Amino acid sequence: MKVYVSGPITNVEKCESRFKNAAAYLRNKGHEAINPYTIPAPKKSNGRDDWSYYMRESVKLLAQADQIYMLEGWEDSIGATIEHNLARDINLPIMYEKDDRKYV
């Protein structure tokens, strides 16, 4: 199963390791982890459009997933909230880190 990892990134300390750890955990459970943190930087960056670029790329990845894994704190992230709502609207199963006691 392809599982997309979603959570807060902008202005969050240690978010790279949180995404890496979640992806490793999902792979250990036999899933293919889709980690949006690995999206390459835009070829041309002017700063203000970068967030939009990353969200468009993230939505492309989410569309390939069979499920979404929501990291704690997702509710405080505009991007993760968009991803959560999209997953819900297209009927992807949603798993929450806070409910996954084996990981936490």
Side-chain angles (χ1 to χ4, degrees):
M1 179 178 297
K2 292 181 182 181
V3 182
Y4 179 91
V5 180
S6 178
I9 292 177
T10 304
N11 300 321
V12 175
E13 281 189 39
K14 300 181 183 179
C15 66
E16 181 177 10
S17 63
R18 290 185 68 207
F19 275 79
K20 282 183 181 179
N21 291 341
Y25 167 73
L26 292 167
R27 282 192 298 276
N28 286 337
K29 291 189 65 93
H31 302 297
E32 179 182 336
I34 302 173
N35 182 353
Y37 200 89
T38 63
I39 294 171
K43 294 188 192 289
K44 291 184 180 182
S45 174
N46 65 13
R48 67 174 191 256
D49 294 330
D50 288 358
W51 185 87
S52 296
Y53 162 81
Y54 285 111
M55 281 308 304
R56 287 190 307 272
E57 296 301 310
S58 295
V59 168
K60 290 177 193 176
L61 292 174
L62 179 57
Q64 298 171 29
D66 302 306
Q67 184 171 347
I68 190 168
Y69 187 82
M70 305 302 301
L71 295 175
E72 287 192 46
W74 69 268
E75 306 95 330
D76 299 323
S77 165
I78 294 170
T81 299
I82 290 169
E83 293 165 347
H84 179 272
N85 291 342
L86 178 59
R88 183 195 62 219
D89 292 345
I90 62 174
N91 296 317
L92 285 182
I94 302 171
M95 182 170 38
Y96 299 92
E97 178 184 38
K98 68 180 177 84
D99 295 336
D100 194 353
R101 297 297 173 210
K102 291 179 185 171
Y103 178 62
V104 173

